[in-house]
């Protein structure tokens, strides 16, 4: 997403809720989010409760509620010198409260999940590329890899074209199908969703034309898509952007996860509506401070990762009852590994719960790899350079990766990346997607990465954290 982030805009509360029983001069109030983020804390807006929740670097958590003169910090409750208030969508609190919180940040830093190492950068080239999308400018956005259950070599890439729909490519990059459903942004795939009395593979994507989610059933033979929208999910956020599906191996339930232009997050449980179509029910919502798009869910561990583009790569619990605060911060775009904007996210499922989290560092034209397990420590970085077969990539939005073998051409799986500037024969064409053999990446990184082509995405295992 090529734009500067801005502070969150929250629907104004009624004047009665903003009434302050203990007034302070305007200069005695400070913005909670801005003040705490400068100190390395996380702040999330809990809209349904009209509260701002925070997590300090030492792991202490707390909250304030607009219109109330109390706060929580850990297990205790205290009094504010004046009630928290909302001004122009920004939570304001008494300055002495922020001073109290910043004095409580001593101790170990548990918000940052790892002390990340210095960058190690290598380069690879793509094996092939997809046909260009039919519209120009900033159109191609996000790919998802679908594995054909009977013939992995006939698997497909399902990708979005913000100029007007969903595209399906074969592994040679040739366009097979096109579905003009609107300004579709981010897309994801899950397997064995119970629908119409059987289990089907589904793809789903955010659609900015109506601020909705589009659901498709995937034909197991041809990879063709069929709309299975029931009562459409219509988001409450300003504009839908990021998206992921999540299959909880803890409960068996499926969820649609949405990120928005203003940092909003909504989680919907999705289910068969009784007529072979998919409906959704809102089960959780909260709000980051600024624009966020990259989103991926780890079905085995029950985590989800957000890229708040210019702020941080966050790790959350994916179960809807787990609250609104992050587990921790994986990394920040300070130019050492990540450079703003942080964009697409993808997960490589390895054996025995191992694997990798990969982030698109759009500002530095590279892809950053972290361990999937534990504290998500940094592994290495790579860029896709010009090669004999294709040009390289720049300013990538969406990415996807698969560890499963896809026939003789891709026995170790693939990595797919959107390319902002598609150059062929010296000419700039419409945007497209590059396909890289996973072996190329695994061998280039030192020490070499795992190559686990037997990890079937249909047979994931619930892992203990």
């Amino acid at each position: 997403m090529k734009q500067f982030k801005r502070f969150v805009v929250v629907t104004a509360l009624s004047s009665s809720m903003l009434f302050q029983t203990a007034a302070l001069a305007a200069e005695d109030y400070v913005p909670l989010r801005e003040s705490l983020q400068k100190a390395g804390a996380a702040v999330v807006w809990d809209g349904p409760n009209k509260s701002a929740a925070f997590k300090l670097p030492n792991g202490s958590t707390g909250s304030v509620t607009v219109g109330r003169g109390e706060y929580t910090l850990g297990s205790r409750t205290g009094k504010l010198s004046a009630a928290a208030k909302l001004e122009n969508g920004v939570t304001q609190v008494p300055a002495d409260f922020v001073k109290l919180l910043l004095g409580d940040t001593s101790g170990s830093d548990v918000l940052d999940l790892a002390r990340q190492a210095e960058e190690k950068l290598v380069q690879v080239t793509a094996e092939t590329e997809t046909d260009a999308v039919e519209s120009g400018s900033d159109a191609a956005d996000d790919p998802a890899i679908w594995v054909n259950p009977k013939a992995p070599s006939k698997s497909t890439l399902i990708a979005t074209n913000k100029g007007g729909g969903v595209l399906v490519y074969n592994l040679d990059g040739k366009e097979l199908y096109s579905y003009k459903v609107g300004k579709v942004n981010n897309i994801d795939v899950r397997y064995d969703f119970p629908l119409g009395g059987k289990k089907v593979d589904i793809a789903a994507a955010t659609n900015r034309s109506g601020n909705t989610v589009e659901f498709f059933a995937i034909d197991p033979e041809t990879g063709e898509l069929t709309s299975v929208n029931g009562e459409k999910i219509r988001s409450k956020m300003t504009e839908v952007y990021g998206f992921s599906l999540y299959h909880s191996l803890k409960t068996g339930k499926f969820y649609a996860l949405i990120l928005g232009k203003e940092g909003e997050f909504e989680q919907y449980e999705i289910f068969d509506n009784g007529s072979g179509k998919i409906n959704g029910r809102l089960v959780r919502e909260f709000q980051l401070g600024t624009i966020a798009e990259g989103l991926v869910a780890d079905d085995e561990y029950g985590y989800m990762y957000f890229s708040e583009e210019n702020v941080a790569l966050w790790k959350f619990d994916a179960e809807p009852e787990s609250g609104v605060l992050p587990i921790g911060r994986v990394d920040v775009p300070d130019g050492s590994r990540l450079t703003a904007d942080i964009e697409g996210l993808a997960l490589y499922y390895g054996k025995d719960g191992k694997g990798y989290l990969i982030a698109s560092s759009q500002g530095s034209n590279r892809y950053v790899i972290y361990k999937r397990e534990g504290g998500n420590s940094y592994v290495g970085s790579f860029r896709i350079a010009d090669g004999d077969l294709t040009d390289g990539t720049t300013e990538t939005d969406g990415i996807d990766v698969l560890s499963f073998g896809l026939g003789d051409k891709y026995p170790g799986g693939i990595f797919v990346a959107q390319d902002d500037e598609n150059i062929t024969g010296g000419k700039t064409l419409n945007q497209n997607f590059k396909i890289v053999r996973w072996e190329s990446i695994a061998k280039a990184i030192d020490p070499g990465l795992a190559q686990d082509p037997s990890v079937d995405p249909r047979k994931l295992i619930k892992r203990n954290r």
Side-chain angles (χ1 to χ4, degrees), residues 116-122 124 313 330-331 337-338 345-348 355-361 366-373 376-383 399 401 415 438 440-450:
Q116 305 295 12
E118 293 297 316
E119 183 186 51
K120 299 180 294 182
L121 178 65
V122 300
V124 299
L313 173 52
V330 176
D331 209 347
R337 288 161 303 277
L338 294 172
L345 302 175
L347 281 167
Y348 178 97
Y356 308 104
L357 167 68
I358 307 176
S360 168
S361 178
R366 59 196 61 182
Y367 311 95
V368 186
I369 306 172
Y370 304 88
K371 286 186 178 180
R372 173 175 159 245
E373 67 275 16
N376 303 116
S377 59
Y378 173 73
V379 176
S381 305
F382 67 97
R383 59 184 292 265
I399 60 175
V401 68
F415 174 81
W438 177 254
S440 299
I441 300 168
K443 292 176 181 178
I445 301 291
D446 184 21
L449 303 182

Side-chain angles (χ1 to χ4, degrees), residues 144-158 168-177 191 201 218-225 402 404-411 414 435 458:
I145 306 162
W146 171 72
V147 177
N148 186 302
K150 296 181 180 179
S153 63
K154 295 182 180 179
S155 299
T156 61
L157 308 181
I158 308 174
V168 180
Y169 301 96
N170 65 21
L171 295 182
D172 292 324
K174 301 302 180 184
E175 183 181 312
L176 301 176
Y177 315 109
Y191 302 93
D201 299 341
I218 306 171
D219 187 288
E221 300 287 340
T222 66
E224 292 179 88
L225 306 182
L402 181 76
F404 193 63
L406 298 178
D408 294 339
K409 189 173 183 180
Y410 299 109
I414 59 174
I435 305 173
R458 289 183 170 84

Side-chain angles (χ1 to χ4, degrees), residues 253-269:
K253 295 179 180 180
F254 287 79
Y255 298 94
L257 313 175
I258 308 172
L259 276 176
K261 189 174 182 179
E262 304 290 350
E264 309 99 321
F265 170 73
E266 292 174 357
Q267 180 169 6
Y268 293 83
E269 181 185 347

Side-chain angles (χ1 to χ4, degrees), residues 8-79:
V8 63
V9 178
V10 182
T11 303
L13 301 178
S14 66
S15 57
S16 61
M17 292 190 68
L18 291 175
F19 178 73
Q20 305 296 306
T21 56
L24 286 181
E27 58 268 22
D28 292 326
Y29 276 92
V30 294
L32 179 68
R33 183 188 301 278
E34 181 182 5
S35 301
L36 292 187
Q37 281 187 338
K38 287 179 179 178
V43 183
V44 174
W45 174 252
D46 181 357
N49 293 313
K50 303 297 185 291
S51 297
F54 52 84
K55 190 171 187 177
L56 303 178
N58 66 359
S60 296
T61 61
S63 66
V64 295
T65 301
V66 170
R68 297 184 60 181
E70 297 178 336
Y71 68 86
T72 64
L73 183 60
S75 60
R76 70 180 189 270
T77 300
K79 295 288 186 180

Side-chain angles (χ1 to χ4, degrees), residues 423-445:
I423 301 174
T424 301
K427 295 182 179 180
T428 300
L429 306 180
N430 290 342
Q431 296 177 341
N432 70 348
F433 301 87
K434 271 37 179 194
I435 305 173
V436 183
R437 292 164 58 94
W438 177 254
E439 296 100 315
S440 299
I441 300 168
K443 292 176 181 178
I445 301 291

